[in-house]
Amino acid sequence: EADLVTKKTEPELHRLYRSCQKELRIRRNVRLYASRRLANPVSCGWLRPFVIIPRDLDIRLSMPEIRYILLHELQHYKHKDPIINDLVCFMQILYWFNPFIRYGFHCLQRDREMACDQGVIRAIGKEHRLDYSRTLLKYAWQKKNGMYRIYKPPLSALGGNHNMLKQRVLAIADYERPSILKKIKALLAVCLALLLACVFSPLLRAYPFQNASFSFEHENWEPVDASSYFGGTDGAFVLYDIEKDQFQIYNQTLSQKRIAPYSTFKIYSGLFALEEKIISPESSLQEWDGTLWEYPKWNRDQTLDTAMKNSVNWYFQDLDRQMGIFKLRSYYNRISYGNGDLSGGVHSYWAESSLKISPLEQVILLSDLLQNKWKFQAENIETIKDSLFLADTPYGKLYGKTGTGTVHGKNVSGWFVGFLEQKEHTCCFAANLQNSLKATGSDTAKIVMNILSNMQ
């Protein structure tokens, strides 16, 4: 809802605007619009650039004051701020959970306005900087008293909040033309910031390419032929004897391939929640919020035991949300869980999203869990073990967790991970089925049970 300012509609304002463009040596046709629904002047667009000002700006301010504001907005165009703003907004959307990104955007907004202020002073002369400061303060006062309270665009912060405005006015008062040394220091700071961004940005690590498979390096392992149990379904099976430190592997290639963990992540989600005291061995109840799920057993209050046995997604999602993505990431890094990538978000990082793990890594993690190599509370380890207990068998106590992955209603992955405790030793196992109607946790569990039974 903005009108183009032309020679016919606003001749004096149009003439002033064109003189500002010439003063800044802007040859491109940067159009000027006026809107009743705008709180701040704003410079927008990088393919078809334009400036929008509040409709009654010429009533509130004098022409010299409007000139300062137009020069300021055209500085945004000269500095290519609309492009930078689009990139920053994209980063904010992508990393909405990161408070450092929000703080960085605030600092960028402040520095961007200060850079435009300096550009205006260079154009009008240092002797007029106090008049420019008075214009900013006058405009801020009008905003504070309700004259502009409609729409605040994300790019422009003319006037700004109290702290930002104070910093800008002080910077204008202390303005000195930057020396060559200062320019060199600024350039070096930018180069350093870009280098740090390249090193630390998750976008540039390319997890899917660098961590598609787990590199297995262990001398004490032997292949086993379990093809008859899988009946032609693509799958992998790994068995690890902790006491003998020996692996038995079917389908070595797939056993090293990292795939989504689905519900098997709940073993560690529960453990982390215990460590953070979100729940405790004595009190792990989470109340059902009344949402109706397709599985009747989910539609009730849950404890860690019932949620683990019934694989209740909302229970563990609630635990993860209470913990927060930063603390959660630190725990996954601490135990070296697969690729450790939680960029898929706290709600679904484990379901055909960012987090990936291989069957071999599942077995190694279970072994580390049982031996408590991470130095967690012993009672928390025992609580997780109890929640995984399935049955007493002729060959020992069986513990395990299934997981089923579906995409567009089709089964794509079936997990069964766990361990068998015997008097003499403990064996950890992990099996996965891929891309089949039988790729479910229950079908995978049946295959594992047949293999373990025949291996005795």
Side-chain angles (χ1 to χ4, degrees):
E1 299 181 18
D3 300 321
L4 181 65
V5 175
T6 65
K7 292 181 181 179
K8 294 182 179 180
T9 58
E10 298 281 352
E12 190 175 358
L13 183 59
H14 181 268
R15 186 167 51 254
L16 177 62
Y17 181 66
R18 291 306 174 193
S19 69
C20 290
Q21 284 187 299
K22 289 180 181 180
E23 194 173 351
L24 298 178
R25 298 178 182 178
I26 296 175
R27 296 180 180 179
R28 190 171 180 182
N29 181 25
V30 182
R31 295 161 298 165
L32 178 64
Y33 288 89
S35 172
R36 292 184 178 87
R37 297 185 58 81
L38 203 66
N40 289 329
V42 59
S43 176
C44 298
W46 41 282
L47 293 177
R48 300 179 64 185
F50 55 91
V51 171
I52 311 177
I53 60 174
R55 165 62 68 185
D56 57 353
L57 193 66
D58 56 345
I59 299 174
R60 304 297 181 185
L61 303 177
S62 67
M63 279 300 168
E65 292 169 336
I66 294 175
R67 173 174 170 257
Y68 294 147
I69 289 179
L70 293 177
L71 287 172
H72 180 97
E73 294 307 320
L74 287 170
Q75 288 291 341
H76 280 300
Y77 164 75
K78 288 194 68 175
H79 297 167
K80 308 302 179 187
D81 285 342
I83 299 176
I84 297 173
N85 188 69
D86 287 347
L87 292 174
V88 170
C89 287
F90 173 75
M91 294 295 289
Q92 279 192 303
I93 293 170
L94 193 64
Y95 297 106
W96 57 268
F97 53 84
N98 192 332
F100 297 107
I101 293 293
R102 292 196 294 271
Y103 177 73
F105 180 66
H106 171 76
C107 293
L108 174 64
Q109 187 183 49
R110 177 200 62 203
D111 294 344
R112 183 175 59 200
E113 296 304 318
M114 287 184 174
C116 290
D117 291 338
Q118 292 185 4
V120 172
I121 296 173
R122 285 194 296 270
I124 64 177
K126 184 178 178 181
E127 63 276 13
H128 296 293
R129 68 184 189 277
L130 295 181
D131 292 334
Y132 177 57
S133 295
R134 292 189 190 98
T135 300
L136 294 180
L137 293 171
K138 181 178 179 180
Y139 192 84
W141 179 85
Q142 291 179 351
K143 285 174 59 181
K144 182 179 179 182
N145 286 273
M147 296 181 182
Y148 298 110
R149 290 193 180 183
I150 306 173
Y151 169 66
K152 293 180 66 177
L155 176 58
S156 178
L158 189 63
N161 60 40
H162 179 270
N163 290 332
M164 183 183 294
L165 183 61
K166 180 180 178 181
Q167 292 177 41
R168 289 175 61 189
V169 170
L170 289 174
I172 293 171
D174 295 335
Y175 172 79
E176 294 290 342
R177 184 175 289 274
S179 63
I180 296 177
L181 181 60
K182 284 185 177 180
K183 291 181 179 180
I184 293 174
K185 288 181 178 179
L187 181 61
L188 291 175
V190 170
C191 293
L192 178 61
L194 291 173
L195 178 62
L196 292 174
C198 291
V199 171
F200 294 108
S201 174
L203 281 176
L204 301 176
R205 293 186 190 172
Y207 280 111
F209 298 98
Q210 295 183 5
N211 298 297
S213 294
F214 168 65
S215 180
F216 179 62
E217 298 177 1
H218 196 282
E219 296 180 356
N220 193 14
W221 74 276
E222 61 181 19
V224 294
D225 183 10
S227 57
S228 60
Y229 299 101
F230 286 83
T233 302
D234 195 16
F237 172 76
V238 179
L239 185 70
Y240 175 60
D241 189 314
I242 295 178
E243 279 69 29
K244 294 181 180 179
D245 189 25
Q246 182 181 41
F247 288 88
Q248 297 183 65
I249 302 173
Y250 166 68
N251 194 339
Q252 184 183 7
T253 300
L254 186 56
S255 69
Q256 296 180 91
K257 180 181 177 181
R258 283 176 167 168
I259 50 186
Y262 290 102
S263 289
T264 62
F265 90 101
K266 295 168 184 174
I267 299 171
Y268 304 97
S269 175
L271 177 60
F272 302 155
L274 286 165
E275 285 292 305
E276 284 297 301
K277 295 181 172 52
I278 295 172
I279 56 175
S280 68
E282 299 79 21
S283 177
S284 62
L285 183 70
Q286 296 285 297
E287 294 183 357
W288 173 49
D289 65 2
T291 302
L292 291 177
W293 303 92
E294 59 179 312
Y295 307 106
K297 292 183 179 180
W298 289 18
N299 299 326
R300 63 190 68 168
D301 296 348
Q302 303 286 340
T303 64
L304 179 62
D305 284 340
T306 62
M308 193 74 78
K309 286 179 171 57
N310 297 319
S311 204
V312 181
N313 285 352
W314 67 258
Y315 180 90
F316 296 95
Q317 288 170 327
D318 281 353
L319 297 183
D320 285 352
R321 274 193 291 268
Q322 292 178 62
M323 187 174 305
I325 193 71
F326 294 109
K327 180 64 70 173
L328 201 59
R329 183 181 285 113
S330 70
Y331 273 112
Y332 275 106
N333 290 335
R334 178 176 174 182
I335 70 173
S336 298
Y337 189 101
N339 66 356
D341 183 3
L342 306 189
S343 61
V346 70
H347 184 74
S348 59
Y349 61 87
W350 44 272
E352 206 59 41
S353 182
S354 57
L355 189 64
K356 309 287 183 182
I357 190 170
S358 66
L360 270 164
E361 289 172 294
Q362 291 270 31
V363 163
I364 293 171
L365 277 175
L366 285 170
S367 170
D368 291 345
L369 173 71
L370 295 178
Q371 298 174 82
N372 197 8
K373 290 188 176 180
W374 310 311
K375 306 302 180 183
F376 288 154
Q377 294 293 322
E379 63 175 347
N380 293 337
I381 300 291
E382 288 300 316
T383 300
I384 290 296
K385 280 185 59 178
D386 292 343
S387 71
L388 296 174
F389 178 74
L390 297 178
D392 282 306
T393 73
Y395 313 108
K397 292 182 178 294
L398 179 68
Y399 301 80
K401 182 73 188 78
T402 59
T404 301
T406 58
V407 176
H408 303 305
K410 294 183 179 180
N411 297 329
V412 296
S413 183
W415 280 103
F416 185 48
V417 303
F419 51 95
L420 191 67
E421 279 190 343
Q422 300 175 321
K423 291 182 179 180
E424 298 176 357
H425 54 263
T426 299
C427 293
C428 300
F429 59 81
N432 181 261
L433 295 179
Q434 288 283 298
N435 301 317
S436 167
L437 292 175
K438 294 183 178 180
T440 67
S442 57
D443 284 315
T444 309
K446 291 176 184 177
I447 291 174
V448 171
M449 293 303 297
N450 288 333
I451 295 174
L452 294 178
S453 177
N454 289 332
M455 293 178 72
Q456 297 186 3

